[in-house]
Amino acid sequence: QVQLVESGGGLAQPGGSLRLSCVVSGSIFRFNTMGWYRQAPGKQREWVADISSDGSTNYADSVKGRFTISRDNAKNTVYLQMNSLKPEDTAVYYCYLDMSGSSYYWGQGTQVTVSS
């Protein structure tokens, strides 16, 4: 079984920062792309960022320059550093493991709320 366990969600003020973490079980972590999606109430699920096995990254335009995705293969962990947070960043954030585009494993989701 593959399990993804997230942490780091919570409440932040506009302009503040949060760091999300996602720990994945199994040895497949280092060979697969991982990333983050988010979904706000009443909105479609939005892809946020991903990071490949070689460390290359991609970001949605809405978070470029503010969010940074990284991974630590030794710890089987992917991170999402979120800076300069905006109220529109409020959403449930989901970590995923990309099984070569054929299927995905998902985390449980963690709530991020940005409000003054």
Side-chain angles (χ1 to χ4, degrees):
Q1 290 184 318
V2 175
Q3 293 185 344
L4 285 72
V5 180
E6 302 175 350
S7 62
L11 176 65
Q13 295 182 340
S17 298
L18 287 172
R19 189 184 73 165
L20 307 183
S21 300
C22 176
V23 180
V24 59
S25 64
S27 61
I28 60 175
F29 172 82
R30 65 180 299 173
F31 305 110
N32 293 86
T33 293
M34 295 192 67
W36 297 87
Y37 274 87
R38 67 186 183 185
Q39 188 165 29
K43 293 185 177 181
Q44 295 183 1
R45 185 181 64 177
E46 178 188 22
W47 172 79
V48 175
D50 63 34
I51 182 166
S52 68
S53 60
D54 66 1
S56 62
T57 59
N58 297 285
Y59 298 93
D61 288 342
S62 59
V63 306
K64 284 182 179 178
R66 300 188 299 118
F67 291 10
T68 302
I69 188 170
S70 61
R71 66 193 296 164
D72 186 337
N73 289 339
K75 297 181 178 180
N76 287 358
T77 302
V78 63
Y79 304 95
L80 186 67
Q81 178 67 46
M82 305 184 294
N83 298 327
S84 302
L85 284 164
K86 303 175 181 179
E88 51 263 43
D89 295 320
T90 296
V92 178
Y93 284 71
Y94 298 91
C95 173
Y96 69 88
L97 172 67
D98 185 347
M99 301 298 290
S100 300
S102 298
S103 61
Y104 298 85
Y105 290 98
W106 296 90
Q108 76 279 11
T110 184
Q111 177 70 49
V112 171
T113 302
V114 183
S115 176
S116 60

